[in-house]
Amino acid sequence: MGSPVSTIAEVGKHEGQSVSIRGWLYNLRESGKLLFPQFRDGTGVIQGVVAKNAVPAEVFDAVKGLSQESSVIAEGKVRADKRAPGGYELDVSNVQVIQRVPESDPYPISLKEHGVDFLMEHRHLWVRSPRQAAILRIRAEIIKAARDFFDGRGFVLTDPPILTPAACEGTTTLFPVDYFDEQAFLTQSGQLYIEATAMALGKVYSFGPTFRAEKSKTRRHLTEFWMVEPEVAFADLDDLMELAEGLVSFVVKRCLEKRRADLQMTGRDVSKLETVQPPFPRISYDDAVKMLQEAHKKGALESNFEWGGDLGSPDETYISSQFDRPVMVHRYPAKVKAFYMEPDPQRPELALCVDVLAPEGYGEIIGGSQRMASYDLLLQRIHEHGLPEEAFKWYLDLRKYGSVPHSGFGMGIERVVAWICGLEHVRETIPFPRMLYRLYP
Ligand code: NSS
């Protein structure tokens, strides 16, 4: 095994030379005196050709009948081949089997179709399949792009706590934690804390896991998900919408630049992503309601939407299907939104908030708002929402000492991954999804 090591993604740099590939046996086809093993190493898949007369007998015998996912180091000469998926094949001269998967206990995920429950139960192995690996690479790219976006615009990353004494997004989805002799909760959002760091640093963001004890079993909900949240001092709702469309377009563009092959592997129609460029359409909640009511009249929507409610998922799907890029719906009734949102001075029954809805039925990927700047009104809302004033004393302080208008939003990474990859369900967007009935593996 003296040849230099190469990843499969980079074998093209070694055309005509001998390399060592370190990975796993993905598939094996046998045809008399020729074996066609496919190797994978996490960067790609390459087909090898093992000719009986070109390798020592024990090497041929070791590969013949080798079981799927056995770990190997394969040595051979890189040959360009137009028909090969990655453009290259490997003329194998030697194979060292690191661990042979026993035939009596074969790899459970074969190349044939499996049901989703079975795959979820074997998620620790399922992540090895080329499609799942492609999704995880795209997820990593999206996260990197979001960080680059904020880092490149003068935002400072500040990490909020995960163990918190109070709710941010409603008391019905809190995960309680026994914190010595006190009641604590897993954080639903870093927002309240980064409002404090925004008053210290101006423009900040957080990026971390957040938790919701969602009893809903939908294709958009996880109980543990990752959120990137910017918070900006002196920004108003218009500034916020500009920031949101800038972030989303930046992330999509980066994936098209760097992850096109992976997007194709997931079967994504990338032409639907090419149109994602600013400006995004902005419609008020009032206009959205009109759209929904007209759709109902035309028979395009089953139920008739009444002003005052929050948009449900069929409503979001209908609205977003009217546009070729994400749409921003702003100024919802304050009653259906969180306690911390600034009322619209023109119409105090509305909140200065925005939801960004992704196209093709993906629905809400971003939720944000201008924050309440007045101490008295905030205190009143805390009471109206039945929240414990004690736990929010520090948050009220931010309105006592140099309160300024400020705004921020949260973008759920898994929803964005699902949309960009064109996936049906968020369960494939994170290595180990946590859902209502899923805590294993
Ligand atoms: O509840 S949000 O709409 N808003 C907040 O948490 C604000 N405190 C954020 C802020 O202003 N800093 O959630 C924001 C986004 C939402 O648009 C989704 O993309 C995602 O977080 N989200 C979820 N993703 C997956 N599963 C669940 N359960 C979920 N809940 C929200």
Side-chain angles (χ1 to χ4, degrees):
M1 293 288 154
S3 306
V5 172
S6 173
T7 61
I8 293 171
E10 300 208 309
V11 286
K13 291 186 182 161
H14 305 273
E15 194 190 332
Q17 296 160 10
S18 201
V19 296
S20 298
I21 301 285
R22 303 189 290 194
W24 295 264
L25 185 76
Y26 177 59
N27 197 9
L28 176 65
R29 208 158 47 79
E30 307 190 3
S31 167
K33 293 182 175 164
L34 288 176
L35 304 174
F36 300 100
Q38 285 185 334
F39 303 110
R40 61 161 201 92
D41 73 345
T43 71
V45 176
I46 191 168
Q47 173 157 293
V49 181
V50 187
K52 188 162 191 171
N53 60 9
V55 294
E58 65 272 17
V59 170
F60 191 84
D61 291 342
V63 177
K64 198 171 158 53
L66 190 60
S67 28
Q68 192 192 345
E69 287 303 313
S70 291
S71 43
V72 295
I73 300 178
E75 194 170 10
K77 203 188 255 183
V78 179
R79 174 170 43 78
D81 185 325
K82 285 211 178 68
R83 292 159 307 170
Y88 298 93
E89 282 197 346
L90 197 69
D91 287 327
V92 176
S93 54
N94 199 358
V95 175
Q96 183 190 344
V97 177
I98 309 292
Q99 189 242 334
R100 180 181 287 270
V101 175
E103 261 155 58
S104 58
D105 191 3
Y107 186 67
I109 303 178
S110 62
L111 301 184
K112 67 174 180 23
E113 292 267 309
H114 290 283
V116 149
D117 283 344
F118 178 86
L119 291 170
M120 291 302 297
E121 202 63 17
H122 294 85
R123 183 66 180 165
H124 52 298
L125 303 176
W126 189 23
V127 287
R128 299 183 187 191
S129 77
R131 179 184 151 83
Q132 295 302 315
I135 294 169
L136 294 184
R137 274 192 295 268
I138 295 168
R139 176 189 169 94
E141 196 70 55
I142 289 169
I143 291 172
K144 171 116 181 16
R147 287 181 177 280
D148 287 348
F149 178 85
F150 291 117
D151 292 343
R153 281 163 182 74
F155 283 72
V156 179
L157 175 74
T158 61
D159 303 310
I162 287 172
L163 291 167
T164 59
C168 174
E169 293 298 324
T171 49
T172 57
T173 60
L174 285 170
F175 269 117
V177 179
D178 183 10
Y179 194 76
F180 308 111
D181 288 333
E182 269 186 80
Q183 171 80 280
F185 306 99
L186 296 178
T187 187
Q188 296 171 311
S189 158
Q191 179 198 321
L192 306 187
Y193 292 94
I194 62 171
E195 283 186 54
T197 56
M199 297 305 126
L201 296 152
K203 295 200 281 187
V204 299
Y205 73 102
S206 64
F207 183 80
T210 50
F211 306 85
R212 306 270 167 103
E214 298 272 8
K215 286 273 165 61
S216 44
K217 220 185 141 206
T218 80
R219 60 197 195 89
R220 297 175 181 181
H221 288 93
L222 295 166
T223 52
E224 177 178 319
F225 62 98
W226 287 65
M227 189 154 42
V228 62
E229 300 181 80
E231 191 71 34
V232 185
F234 293 100
D236 64 13
L237 182 60
D238 284 333
D239 299 327
L240 195 66
M241 291 199 268
E242 217 177 295
L243 190 67
E245 70 187 3
L247 170 66
V248 172
S249 331
F250 184 91
V251 167
V252 168
K253 184 159 171 257
R254 174 72 69 81
C255 289
L256 288 170
E257 276 165 16
K258 298 237 170 141
R259 291 287 153 214
R260 204 169 267 267
D262 286 322
L263 287 169
Q264 267 146 7
M265 152 70 76
T266 70
R268 186 62 162 122
D269 173 0
V270 290
S271 71
K272 296 244 165 68
L273 298 173
E274 313 267 9
T275 54
V276 179
Q277 288 176 23
F280 294 172
R282 300 170 188 207
I283 62 171
S284 67
Y285 172 86
D286 284 358
D287 291 340
V289 171
K290 273 186 216 136
M291 270 175 79
L292 293 171
Q293 291 174 343
E294 270 156 33
H296 175 66
K297 262 191 232 146
K298 284 190 295 190
L301 262 183
E302 215 172 286
S303 58
N304 195 21
F305 192 88
E306 294 215 14
W307 195 98
D310 202 356
L311 301 182
S313 131
D315 310 315
E316 289 184 356
T317 300
Y318 179 79
I319 294 168
S320 70
S321 72
Q322 305 302 300
F323 304 93
D324 68 346
R325 63 197 71 195
V327 50
M328 303 200 276
V329 184
H330 54 85
R331 294 179 172 80
Y332 287 63
K335 278 225 166 65
V336 299
K337 290 290 180 185
F339 73 97
Y340 51 71
M341 294 185 179
E342 181 79 357
D344 185 347
Q346 256 90 55
R347 286 173 62 192
E349 74 277 18
L350 303 181
L352 291 177
C353 64
V354 61
D355 282 358
V356 181
L357 313 181
E360 302 167 76
Y362 281 94
E364 186 195 320
I365 51 171
I366 284 181
S369 74
Q370 199 169 314
R371 319 304 192 188
M372 200 168 268
S374 146
Y375 181 96
D376 293 336
L377 192 52
L378 183 59
L379 183 61
Q380 186 189 320
R381 282 290 154 86
I382 286 172
H383 289 154
E384 283 167 12
H385 284 251
L387 296 167
E389 187 184 328
E390 248 330 274
F392 288 93
K393 239 177 104 242
W394 69 268
Y395 186 63
L396 283 156
D397 269 356
L398 306 178
R399 278 72 184 170
K400 241 198 236 170
Y401 305 113
S403 186
V404 299
H406 60 289
S407 303
F409 64 73
M411 180 171 90
I413 292 298
E414 290 73 19
R415 299 242 182 119
V416 173
V417 176
W419 163 51
I420 290 183
C421 295
L423 307 177
E424 216 166 280
H425 198 293
V426 286
R427 67 184 157 224
E428 287 179 49
T429 62
I430 183 166
F432 294 97
R434 294 291 168 252
M435 296 176 290
L436 187 48
Y437 299 114
R438 172 68 51 200
L439 191 58
Y440 175 92

